[in-house]
Amino acid sequence: DARVTQTPRDKVTEMGQEVTMRCQPILGHNTVFWYRQTMMQGLELLAYFRNRAPLDDSGMPKDRFSAEMPDATLATLKIQPSEPRDSAVYFCASGLDLTSGSNTGELFFGEGSRLTVL
Amino acid sequence: EDQVTQSPEALRLQEGESSSLNCSYTVSGLRGLFWYRQDPGKGPEFLFTLYSAGEEKEKERLKATLTKKESFLHITAPKPEDSATYLCAVQAYDKIIFGKGTRLHILP
């Protein structure tokens, strides 16, 4: 049963610490998205990749957030230094190329990483 | 700016009481409109894709419709297991933007 795997599921840290969240997309998917979910803002798009190349990271605070895909099986989202306002659930989602006419556009989401910054 | 707005924010219904959720959008070059369901503590799960005005999709008690400016998710005779947050999203070229969702609670 193919699924997107995210680690850690829960993370509590103190302000100023570095946080790294990891995502293993579904094998064969070439598009990866990072979203952040809060009650106030809903699901916010942070960054996305196609074929491991970053397409847009304009949703991220550039001074503290960074997103990478070191290889096709791993996407990372790093926050350094973390702040209390970064507390949220971070979701990774993978899918097929959205620009392909034959694609339904379906994204497969992981179960999220819940981050609490004290 | 591409934007998705969902209403109402929350909705409580009695079991069997049909209703509709609304999703209005502004996007340059809509490539698809999506509905997802999200259960507490889980990631969103895909329900439907709609591509053009007039299109409809159905799945069990759910039916999604699309016009040029909005989409509706109709829920017919809902059951308690339909309780969830329903998210609407639009594809603008190569990215997908979500609304804040409607929290639906079906009372037995």
Side-chain angles (χ1 to χ4, degrees):
Chain A
D1 185 23
R3 62 180 66 185
V4 174
T5 304
Q6 290 187 245
T7 56
R9 289 296 314 277
D10 279 283
K11 176 74 174 180
V12 180
T13 191
E14 295 195 346
M15 183 173 62
Q17 295 299 304
E18 177 179 303
V19 176
T20 298
M21 288 167 275
R22 295 176 173 80
C23 167
Q24 181 176 2
I26 291 174
L27 188 65
H29 284 180
N30 65 343
T31 306
V32 174
F33 291 76
W34 282 105
Y35 291 91
R36 174 172 65 184
Q37 188 174 42
T38 60
M39 284 293 292
M40 291 295 294
Q41 300 299 327
L43 265 174
E44 298 175 275
L45 178 60
L46 297 176
Y48 58 104
F49 297 78
R50 184 166 67 230
N51 296 324
R52 295 176 54 203
L55 295 184
D56 188 342
D57 60 1
S58 59
M60 297 197 310
K62 294 290 192 308
D63 56 339
R64 299 185 300 107
F65 284 58
S66 62
E68 295 179 346
M69 280 201 74
D71 61 61
T73 65
L74 177 64
T76 62
L77 180 66
K78 186 177 296 185
I79 308 174
Q80 168 63 20
S82 58
E83 297 182 1
R85 59 179 165 155
D86 301 330
S87 297
V89 181
Y90 291 80
F91 285 102
C92 173
S94 72
L96 298 174
D97 187 352
L98 293 179
T99 60
S100 167
S102 61
N103 184 14
T104 63
E106 178 179 0
L107 293 183
F108 295 79
F109 281 78
E111 300 215 315
S113 293
R114 179 178 298 276
L115 174 64
T116 303
V117 183
L118 304 174
Chain B
E1 181 185 348
D2 301 323
Q3 197 167 356
V4 179
T5 304
Q6 292 189 245
S7 61
E9 290 186 12
L11 182 62
R12 293 166 69 92
L13 299 172
Q14 289 294 138
E15 182 173 1
E17 182 183 0
S18 301
S19 189
S20 297
L21 314 183
N22 176 263
C23 170
S24 61
Y25 61 91
T26 53
V27 62
S28 51
L30 178 73
R31 291 199 164 205
L33 183 139
F34 313 97
W35 284 96
Y36 282 76
R37 170 188 170 129
Q38 186 176 23
D39 292 304
K42 303 288 187 181
E45 286 189 9
F46 173 81
L47 291 172
F48 304 111
T49 304
L50 301 166
Y51 293 103
S52 56
E55 188 175 358
E56 297 184 354
K57 291 277 180 71
E58 285 190 66
K59 182 178 182 179
E60 296 182 356
R61 294 176 292 281
L62 302 176
K63 182 170 78 172
T65 62
L66 180 64
T67 71
K68 287 188 177 179
K69 292 185 177 181
E70 57 190 351
S71 176
F72 293 93
L73 184 65
H74 306 279
I75 303 176
T76 302
K79 298 182 178 181
E81 53 262 42
D82 295 323
S83 297
T85 296
Y86 290 86
L87 298 164
C88 174
V90 296
Q91 180 180 346
Y93 188 59
D94 60 359
K95 65 181 179 182
I96 294 181
I97 300 166
F98 283 81
K100 294 184 180 181
T102 294
R103 296 189 308 278
L104 177 65
H105 187 57
I106 308 299
L107 302 167

